[in-house]
Amino acid sequence: MTKTNSNVRIGLGEKGMLSQMKQTDSQTDVIIRSLHTVPELEEVRQLGARIWGENDSIPTHQTLTACKNGGLVLGAYIGEELVGFQYSFAGYDGERVYLCSHELGIDAAYRSKKIGERLKQAQREEALKKGYKLITWTYDPLESVNGYLNIAKLGGVCSQNIVNCYGEMEDLLNSGLPSDRFLVEWWIAEDKPAAPTAVSVDEMHAVHERSLLAWRLNEDGLPVPQKRDDQPTLTGEPYYVPIPSGIQQLKEKNHELALAWRLHTRDVFMASFEQGYEVAGFVKNPDSAVPVHFYQLRRKVERTAGAKG
């Protein structure tokens, strides 16, 4: 499962860069490579401690063992500095084999550079080589940056909302709210999704009309969730669920309001999933003055992962 900050560790047998994974942004070269030695994985632990706190970093012996047993650890480097990582281990639920993606972390100084997305695409590449068809992870559905990456850009889907998944969390990013998590399924053998496109004003009107949760702005300009007076009956069409565009900022300004978003969206997601819907899209509001984005719900599509290999 994934603890994520900006969501958001791969072994190739031989140390080296992944094929075609050197990418350049406007200022820096980011190199993504597999990690499998104790010193490399200790760097991962130290970066995790800086992101989530010392008590929530993954022990080096655990990531090392996972790498030797079907798991993956990736490191993103700028020069010799580890600036991000992704850690996964082999999973099995009694019916299907999959790769369980547990942590993706980016150093605070290097976020918003698409490093997390690059790590996920490298994870997909290596998981396919190992014979996996499915990667799963969890993330906080109120984290809009993670929702946009996981659902819109990667093409993940979700039909499970795990209530208070990790209990009361006291790490640097998750304290103060029940730890509800979406369980994402990323069907990596399917075609990659098209790049997300901008949504027009007219299209946003339709999104608002088909929203399963209402909201308003309070006197401080903060979004307040409300039940709809005319709650629609789900009839097979796409529907939408709003979330705050910045839950961490909202939590700092008004904790009770952030909790209200957790509880209202929990009710809507649970009811929709029980009626056979899944989250399969994410719509970013093009109006920066409107502090909400939207998940898209559609009828669930059944898929089969099968056995690895």
Side-chain angles (χ1 to χ4, degrees):
M1 308 298 180
T2 306
K3 288 187 301 186
T4 59
N5 57 295
S6 62
N7 144 341
V8 134
R9 291 172 174 191
I10 215 162
L12 295 178
E14 297 289 334
K15 179 178 178 181
M17 283 181 286
L18 299 177
S19 61
Q20 305 300 316
M21 290 313 297
K22 179 176 180 179
Q23 301 192 34
T24 304
D25 65 19
S26 59
Q27 297 179 332
T28 55
D29 287 344
V30 177
I31 305 265
I32 297 179
R33 70 172 189 245
S34 62
L35 308 180
H36 58 89
T37 69
V38 171
E40 289 171 332
L41 297 174
E42 175 59 20
E43 280 193 288
V44 168
R45 188 201 65 76
Q46 293 173 7
L47 178 53
R50 294 199 300 272
I51 294 170
W52 293 293
E54 189 70 34
N55 291 337
D56 286 283
S57 62
I58 301 295
T60 299
H61 63 77
Q62 182 171 330
T63 53
L64 181 65
T65 302
C67 286
K68 294 178 179 180
N69 293 276
L72 308 171
V73 178
L74 285 172
Y77 288 83
I78 295 179
E80 296 300 315
E81 182 181 4
L82 179 70
V83 300
F85 69 89
Q86 198 292 313
Y87 163 50
S88 319
F89 54 84
Y92 178 63
D93 63 5
E95 297 180 356
R96 58 188 186 179
V97 175
Y98 50 89
L99 187 65
C100 185
S101 185
H102 186 61
E103 284 192 348
L104 190 153
I106 309 297
D107 187 288
Y110 294 94
R111 292 172 193 164
S112 302
K113 295 181 180 295
K114 298 186 178 181
I115 295 174
E117 182 179 354
R118 297 176 193 179
L119 284 165
K120 294 300 291 184
Q121 294 296 354
Q123 180 192 37
R124 176 183 186 272
E125 178 183 317
E126 291 308 306
L128 286 170
K129 289 179 184 178
K130 289 179 174 290
Y132 292 107
K133 298 179 181 178
L134 172 65
I135 302 176
T136 70
W137 65 92
T138 64
Y139 79 97
D140 185 342
L142 295 184
E143 292 284 0
S144 63
V145 173
N146 296 347
Y148 184 63
L149 170 62
N150 294 335
I151 307 300
K153 301 190 78 173
L154 298 180
V157 295
C158 173
S159 59
Q160 294 185 58
N161 181 63
I162 306 172
V163 174
N164 207 23
C165 177
Y166 297 110
E168 299 302 317
M169 301 179 70
E170 299 301 330
D171 66 79
L172 301 179
L173 290 167
N174 294 293
S175 63
L177 292 181
S179 58
D180 288 26
R181 294 293 184 267
F182 272 179
L183 177 60
V184 178
E185 294 184 344
W186 190 20
W187 296 86
I188 57 175
E190 296 181 356
D191 292 337
K192 293 183 180 180
T197 57
V199 179
S200 69
V201 174
D202 288 342
E203 289 172 322
M204 283 307 302
H205 285 315
V207 169
H208 284 284
E209 289 176 358
R210 302 191 69 81
S211 175
L212 299 179
L213 186 64
W215 62 276
R216 63 175 177 83
L217 294 179
N218 66 11
E219 61 276 8
D220 297 319
L222 302 177
V224 180
Q226 298 175 308
K227 290 184 178 180
R228 285 187 55 155
D229 294 332
D230 56 341
Q231 190 67 28
T233 300
L234 304 187
T235 60
E237 299 297 322
Y239 294 93
Y240 299 87
V241 181
I243 62 168
S245 57
I247 187 61
Q248 293 296 334
Q249 295 82 358
L250 181 62
K251 188 167 63 172
E252 291 178 2
K253 294 177 181 178
N254 190 322
H255 178 269
E256 290 186 0
L257 195 51
L259 178 59
W261 275 102
R262 170 71 81 217
L263 299 179
H264 276 73
T265 55
R266 173 195 290 175
D267 289 344
V268 173
F269 288 132
M270 298 293 283
S272 302
F273 295 159
E274 287 175 2
Q275 295 182 60
Y277 279 75
E278 66 182 4
V279 167
F282 190 93
V283 178
K284 292 183 71 173
N285 200 319
D287 186 349
S288 59
V290 180
V292 296
H293 300 310
F294 291 84
Y295 286 105
Q296 184 192 72
L297 300 172
R298 70 178 185 197
R299 283 291 186 188
K300 184 177 180 180
V301 177
E302 295 299 329
R303 305 170 181 86
T304 303
K308 187 168 78 72

